[in-house]
Amino acid sequence: MNRKNKYQILAVDDSLEMLELLRRNLKSCGYNIITVSSVIDATKVLESTEIDLVITDLQMPQINGIELIKHLKENYKNTGILVITGYPSIKNAVETVKLGAYDYLIKSFTRDELINAVEKSLLTVENQKEKEEENHYQIQIDGIIGNSKAMQAIFKDLLKASRIKTTILLNGETGTGKELVARAIHYNSKESTAPFIPVNCGGIPEALLESELFGYLKGAFTGATETRGGFFQAADGGSIFLDEIHNTSMSMQAKLLRVLQEKEINMIGSNHAQKINVRVIAAANVDLFQLVKKKLFREDLYYRLNIIPISIPPLRERDGDINILIRYFSLKYAKENGLKNPRFTDRVLQILNNYDWPGNVRELENIVHRLVVMSDGSKIDVPDLPVMMRHSIQSHNNLNKSLKEVETEHIQMILAYVGGNKTKASEILGIDRKTLRERLKTIENSLNLIQE
């Protein structure tokens, strides 16, 4: 595919002969070009079409090219400007460059001069966009990106929490970035050079969790052929992140409570306690207090963990962050794979902004990753979206559905999309297989209740 096909050029001149000359020369090079004979018509095109470069005459009746350049710089800062004129003057040249024109051509230019000026201007557009994209992501802390009020509040909370070496409880839906927040707390603390050890409590079988956390002595049980330290010893002096802590048993909760109270651990097979100096950051994607009420989580452990609580908002509550994240992930995966960063059409951005994102940021990242590597390198449009997402958009107008109903429909659509493959479904949803099994069991129970 000719890469020039991805560029949309708008030519503005009151001379029909000049417009035809521009159209013929640029079309023959593979560019897409729209021609109009007035500034008023140009503004209408700009409102409905994404334009990469405007080629404009200066002297035109009613509204001149200078006014169009001003309009472009105020409203379309990433659109390039190439000026052509039959009345050359140093004053005009200086004025147009100051206003933001990339280049200046006199109306006796050759075909080669035109093509070179267009290529140079488009290269400047690309470089400017990439520089802006990279600078845009200063709105982040250690990889957590967001400009919404909700995320700015999180940034403040985590920076405050990092200054105090005490237990922290993170709460948020699956895929909201709890581990990123935990890492940011650790790496902004005085202990940033010490270890940060993440542990997924829900991903380790109960029978192995104690030995993984606290370690064991040689001969402590069958298979213990050597003494081995656990995650707490590895994190000594730093931080340990206990994700999905709600999946631990009552017995394990009692052991963790002792660690927090006494600041010591017992290796399996040892009668001697070891003192440790570890900041515990725990996380849950359910309301722990509700589990306490149901006697499914220890109340004393809950209060020990909940000294500094931080609630991470779901993506649907982060107003304005979706487009920022889309640009960030798109640029990231385009660079990683040596691809040109594709343009997301306004319709696609609208669809992605209206989507419910039950898998939150992780789901968004997975979808953007797939769109970037599977695109032809020019633009992402509605047909490029996953089938299940397009189907979801069609049914999105029903605003009477509960979040639970939307989540159930989404999980069922994903499973249908991947032919029932739970591993692939888990990856798209941004959850582990265990969490998916639990959600499916809940859905199955709900359906059985309806049938009864």
Side-chain angles (χ1 to χ4, degrees):
M1 179 182 174
N2 187 342
R3 283 185 62 250
K4 293 177 181 178
N5 284 339
K6 78 170 190 170
Y7 293 114
Q8 193 76 264
I9 298 174
L10 173 63
V12 190
D13 199 306
D14 59 325
S15 166
L16 297 181
E17 291 82 3
M18 177 55 63
L19 289 178
E20 176 59 23
L21 177 68
L22 293 171
R23 189 197 66 77
R24 189 170 63 249
N25 284 322
L26 294 177
K27 195 88 173 174
S28 67
C29 288
Y31 291 109
N32 299 311
I33 180 166
I34 299 171
T35 59
V36 295
S37 56
S38 72
V39 171
I40 292 173
D41 289 339
T43 58
K44 291 177 182 177
V45 172
L46 288 163
E47 287 173 3
S48 61
T49 309
E50 292 190 42
I51 300 296
D52 298 293
L53 177 66
V54 172
I55 303 174
T56 182
D57 188 15
L58 286 183
Q59 302 298 327
M60 289 183 284
Q62 295 181 314
I63 305 172
N64 63 32
I66 295 290
E67 295 304 314
L68 176 59
I69 294 171
K70 290 178 181 177
H71 177 72
L72 286 166
K73 297 314 293 183
E74 288 174 4
N75 300 282
Y76 305 94
K77 59 182 179 180
N78 285 325
T79 299
I81 304 167
L82 172 60
V83 169
I84 55 173
T85 183
Y87 304 94
S89 74
I90 294 175
K91 181 181 177 182
N92 279 349
V94 171
E95 185 175 2
T96 56
V97 170
K98 279 184 177 179
L99 287 172
Y102 292 173
D103 212 340
Y104 190 96
L105 280 176
I106 309 301
K107 278 191 180 178
S108 56
F109 53 80
T110 66
R111 181 180 185 277
D112 287 343
E113 286 173 337
L114 171 65
I115 301 306
N116 287 338
V118 167
E119 288 180 349
K120 179 183 173 184
S121 295
L122 287 171
L123 180 61
T124 303
V125 169
E126 290 292 334
N127 291 338
Q128 184 173 304
K129 282 181 180 178
E130 286 194 11
K131 185 177 180 181
E132 184 176 304
E133 297 259 0
E134 289 170 355
N135 291 339
H136 192 75
Y137 306 115
Q138 300 304 314
I139 313 169
Q140 61 175 300
I141 294 179
D142 295 311
I144 310 170
I145 297 164
N147 196 31
S148 62
K149 288 183 179 179
M151 288 310 295
Q152 292 301 312
I154 292 297
F155 293 161
K156 289 179 183 177
D157 287 346
L158 74 83
L159 288 174
K160 287 178 183 176
S162 66
R163 300 187 194 112
I164 309 163
K165 191 167 185 179
T166 190
T167 310
I168 297 166
L169 178 60
L170 307 179
N171 189 267
E173 295 177 9
T174 298
T176 49
K178 293 184 289 296
E179 183 173 337
L180 279 177
V181 172
R183 287 182 181 276
I185 290 170
H186 172 75
Y187 288 111
N188 281 281
S189 71
K190 291 184 293 185
E191 298 79 27
S192 59
T193 56
F196 173 86
I197 306 295
V199 183
N200 183 354
C201 298
I204 302 174
E206 177 65 27
L208 296 177
L209 186 56
E210 182 177 0
S211 62
E212 290 292 318
L213 287 175
F214 308 129
Y216 52 83
L217 296 182
K218 180 178 179 180
F221 51 83
T222 303
T225 57
E226 60 181 1
T227 296
R228 179 183 168 189
F231 291 132
F232 271 98
Q233 288 100 319
D236 198 21
S239 304
I240 189 167
F241 174 55
L242 302 177
D243 197 10
E244 295 193 20
I245 197 166
H246 55 283
N247 284 319
T248 55
S249 66
M250 286 292 190
S251 171
M252 177 53 66
Q253 289 171 30
K255 294 180 174 69
L256 290 172
L257 178 63
R258 184 174 182 276
V259 172
L260 292 174
Q261 288 175 332
E262 308 299 332
K263 300 191 184 304
E264 61 185 29
I265 61 166
N266 274 87
M267 298 177 73
I268 297 176
S270 172
N271 294 321
H272 301 288
Q274 283 182 276
K275 284 291 182 182
I276 54 164
N277 177 25
V278 176
R279 179 212 295 271
V280 174
I281 305 172
N285 56 27
V286 297
D287 188 337
L288 280 187
F289 189 65
Q290 293 303 316
L291 294 186
V292 170
K293 286 183 179 179
K294 296 174 183 177
K295 309 296 183 185
L296 297 175
F297 198 85
R298 291 183 63 111
E299 184 175 12
D300 45 8
L301 178 59
Y302 170 75
Y303 286 114
R304 277 283 178 179
L305 293 171
N306 201 41
I307 294 174
I308 298 182
I310 297 178
S311 293
I312 305 169
L315 190 53
R316 60 185 170 275
E317 294 178 9
R318 295 173 53 178
D319 187 37
D321 281 351
I322 289 177
N323 285 350
I324 294 174
L325 288 162
I326 289 170
R327 289 195 294 269
Y328 174 78
F329 292 134
S330 176
L331 185 65
K332 171 185 173 182
Y333 289 113
K335 283 188 173 182
E336 280 186 8
N337 293 279
L339 302 171
K340 198 70 181 175
N341 192 21
R343 175 173 60 86
F344 285 67
T345 65
D346 290 342
R347 178 58 181 148
V348 165
L349 291 175
Q350 181 184 12
I351 290 172
L352 295 178
N353 275 274
N354 289 335
Y355 185 60
D356 290 298
W357 297 111
N360 288 294
V361 179
R362 190 182 296 127
E363 184 185 6
L364 172 62
E365 180 175 4
N366 289 342
I367 285 178
V368 172
H369 186 180
R370 187 163 66 255
L371 289 172
V372 169
V373 298
M374 296 301 290
S375 77
D376 61 7
S378 56
K379 68 178 179 179
I380 305 295
D381 212 341
V382 175
D384 300 311
L385 293 173
V387 175
M388 56 85 186
M389 180 171 281
R390 299 202 300 271
H391 176 70
S392 174
I393 297 307
Q394 291 167 5
S395 62
H396 185 76
N397 292 332
N398 187 348
L399 301 178
N400 295 317
K401 292 181 181 178
S402 69
L403 181 58
K404 195 71 179 175
E405 288 174 314
V406 172
E407 181 184 81
T408 298
E409 282 186 5
H410 184 63
I411 290 174
Q412 290 172 327
M413 281 190 292
I414 294 261
L415 280 168
Y417 173 61
V418 297
N421 187 315
K422 292 185 177 63
T423 300
K424 289 183 179 178
S426 298
E427 291 174 0
I428 293 173
L429 290 166
I431 57 179
D432 56 42
R433 281 178 58 89
K434 180 180 178 182
T435 304
L436 178 59
R437 285 197 301 271
E438 290 172 353
R439 301 281 173 89
L440 290 173
K441 189 175 180 181
T442 302
I443 293 170
E444 185 180 348
N445 290 339
S446 299
L447 291 173
N448 289 337
L449 285 172
I450 293 170
Q451 290 170 357
E452 289 172 4

